[in-house]
Structure formats: structure tokens, C-alpha cells
Amino acid sequence: MEIELKNIEGKVIKKIPASDYVWAQPMNESLVHQVVVAQRNNRRQGTSSSMRRRDSDYSTAKLRAQKGSGRARVGSRSSHLFGNSVAHGPRPRSFSQKIQRRVKKASIRMVLSEKLKEGEVTLLDNFAMDQISSKRISQAVKNIGLLGKSLLIMEKSEIERNLLISIKNVKGIKTVSSDLINTYDLMAVKNLLITQEALSSIEKIWDRKGKAGGNNEY
């Protein structure tokens, strides 16, 4: 398959070949959902904590007689009924979930393929910045015609200080290295901006690398 290559002004320069194995995968929503849920759980700190009845430092003596007072029966001062503890409250725990490597790779290829199919992928020849200029970034976004949140994917060596500072002041766009993309970040944005160098890097990492198997291989 071929993908249109554009310059920073939004004009099509040429079409370049791309791997069908990376950019033409059928979508499996259940698999992608599984990976996104696992990734979000892995980002949870799991540090929420509440005081249990056993943690309350109060006397365990019964506050009043079980019968005869005309009021509801109560136990010790540490009861959650008095606001001193929480019944079934959160405790520190790990939310981490393991994701099979082949499932993770498959989900990334599926999301990339789906976004290309929906016209939400823009391939750029380069995005070099010789000086700090948020105005130039904003103009480039306008030229390309992007609406909504965007993710600029670049090869690691292309990401430099001027670019990072320039993008920092532009709302709705962030940068990531091509070797650090993941399913959740790809799904969290509307548009993907990918440089030509990043395209080569993505295909080098996520392609089958000559292994046998069809397009549905996970």
C-alpha cells in the first residue's frame, strides 16, 4: 500500500510505500479494549487508603447497654457509624495487569490501521525547528487541517529542544518517540502526525520482520 507524504504546508509531495502488515490490519475492538483497560490499570498508583475499624485507636468497650435505653444498639467507639472508620473502604493494592507481548503489538497495528483508514493519519516529510516558534507549530497544524487532539510521532533522533519548547505552548498537541507509542496514547487522540523517519522506525519495530503468518497473526 502507499501513503501520501506531505510537507509542513500541507501539500502532498509524493506517495511512499508502507507495510500492509502494520497499516492494513482488521480491527478487533475486544482485543484493543482489553489492552487499553490493562494499560490504564497499570498507571494506577493503588495508594488509596481508609481507616478500618481495627485501625481506630479507641476503647473497645460497649458504649451503652444493649437494651433499655430506647435507642439503637451500638458497639464500640471505633464503629464506622460514628465516622471513625470506613466499612469496606479502599486499601493499598496493586492494579497491575500483564499484557502478552503479541497482543500488545497486535493492538498497536490495529489502531494504526484504523486511524489510517479513517483518514486520521498525516505523514510529514519532516518537522524540524531551527528556532523556538509556537506560532510556526500553530500555522502548520492549521495548514494540515487538524481538528481535535493530535499526537506528533517522531524518530528519537528528530526530537530536539526547540521543537519540545515550541509545542509546549500549543494546545491539543504533544510529541512522542516512535519507539514509545502505545495503544492507549494512540486511542486518546484524534489525529496522528508521523514523520517519514518515524514511519520507517514504526515499521522496523512493529512489522513481522520476515516471520511467517498472515495479517491476522497476533
Side-chain angles (χ1 to χ4, degrees), residues 155-199:
E155 206 276 327
K156 186 184 298 184
S157 61
E158 294 182 292
I159 302 177
E160 40 82 39
R161 180 174 178 272
N162 290 343
L163 176 67
L164 294 178
I165 295 177
S166 300
I167 286 184
K168 186 177 180 180
N169 296 322
V170 180
K171 185 178 180 181
I173 182 172
K174 65 177 184 178
T175 307
V176 68
S177 175
S178 56
D179 61 334
L180 297 178
I181 61 174
N182 61 77
T183 306
Y184 176 72
D185 287 342
L186 295 177
M187 292 288 291
V189 297
K190 174 67 175 177
N191 309 292
L192 298 180
L193 294 173
I194 306 175
T195 63
Q196 190 171 1
E197 290 292 329
L199 177 68

Side-chain angles (χ1 to χ4, degrees), residues 48-68:
S48 297
S49 180
S50 58
M51 181 178 288
R52 297 169 295 182
R53 187 164 183 167
R54 73 183 73 170
D55 301 322
S56 302
D57 190 17
Y58 291 106
S59 170
T60 58
K62 192 170 177 63
L63 293 181
R64 58 174 176 262
Q66 178 83 346
K67 298 179 180 295

Side-chain angles (χ1 to χ4, degrees), residues 100-117:
Q100 291 185 5
R101 183 178 301 176
R102 61 177 185 161
V103 173
K104 187 192 304 182
K105 289 183 176 181
S107 67
I108 290 178
R109 291 193 293 264
M110 289 174 185
V111 174
L112 290 174
S113 300
E114 187 68 15
K115 284 194 169 292
L116 179 64
K117 178 182 176 181

Side-chain angles (χ1 to χ4, degrees), residues 2-215:
E2 293 184 331
I3 303 178
E4 291 183 346
L5 180 66
K6 298 182 179 180
N7 57 23
I8 201 170
E9 284 78 31
K11 297 180 180 179
V12 178
I13 301 176
K14 60 180 180 179
K15 291 186 177 182
I16 62 174
S19 170
D20 287 344
Y21 188 67
V22 177
W23 300 99
Q25 284 285 346
M27 187 62 168
N28 185 330
E29 295 183 359
S30 297
L31 184 143
V32 173
H33 177 266
Q34 174 186 345
V35 174
V36 170
V37 170
Q39 288 183 338
R40 295 193 64 180
N41 282 337
N42 291 337
R43 296 184 182 189
R44 298 182 66 174
Q45 292 181 330
T47 55
S48 297
S49 180
S50 58
M51 181 178 288
R52 297 169 295 182
R53 187 164 183 167
R54 73 183 73 170
D55 301 322
S56 302
D57 190 17
Y58 291 106
S59 170
T60 58
K62 192 170 177 63
L63 293 181
R64 58 174 176 262
Q66 178 83 346
K67 298 179 180 295
S69 67
R71 302 173 64 189
R73 53 193 174 188
V74 296
S76 67
R77 184 72 173 81
S78 62
S79 172
H80 64 276
L81 297 176
F82 295 96
N84 300 312
S85 61
V86 178
H88 312 293
R91 298 295 298 171
R93 52 166 290 195
S94 172
F95 289 91
S96 62
Q97 291 182 236
K98 291 184 178 181
I99 311 173
Q100 291 185 5
R101 183 178 301 176
R102 61 177 185 161
V103 173
K104 187 192 304 182
K105 289 183 176 181
S107 67
I108 290 178
R109 291 193 293 264
M110 289 174 185
V111 174
L112 290 174
S113 300
E114 187 68 15
K115 284 194 169 292
L116 179 64
K117 178 182 176 181
E118 296 296 327
E120 298 173 352
V121 174
T122 302
L123 185 62
L124 301 173
D125 57 346
N126 68 76
F127 212 93
M129 297 287 292
D130 53 0
Q131 61 182 357
I132 299 174
S133 176
S134 297
K135 182 178 181 180
R136 184 181 176 187
I137 299 292
S138 299
Q139 186 61 45
V141 171
K142 184 177 180 180
N143 292 339
I144 299 172
L146 301 180
L147 298 175
K149 294 183 179 180
S150 302
L151 183 65
L152 174 59
I153 304 175
M154 306 181 73
E155 206 276 327
K156 186 184 298 184
S157 61
E158 294 182 292
I159 302 177
E160 40 82 39
R161 180 174 178 272
N162 290 343
L163 176 67
L164 294 178
I165 295 177
S166 300
I167 286 184
K168 186 177 180 180
N169 296 322
V170 180
K171 185 178 180 181
I173 182 172
K174 65 177 184 178
T175 307
V176 68
S177 175
S178 56
D179 61 334
L180 297 178
I181 61 174
N182 61 77
T183 306
Y184 176 72
D185 287 342
L186 295 177
M187 292 288 291
V189 297
K190 174 67 175 177
N191 309 292
L192 298 180
L193 294 173
I194 306 175
T195 63
Q196 190 171 1
E197 290 292 329
L199 177 68
S200 300
S201 177
I202 288 173
E203 293 190 349
K204 182 178 180 181
I205 297 172
W206 306 113
D207 204 348
R208 75 177 82 190
K209 298 181 180 179
K211 293 181 180 180
N215 285 347

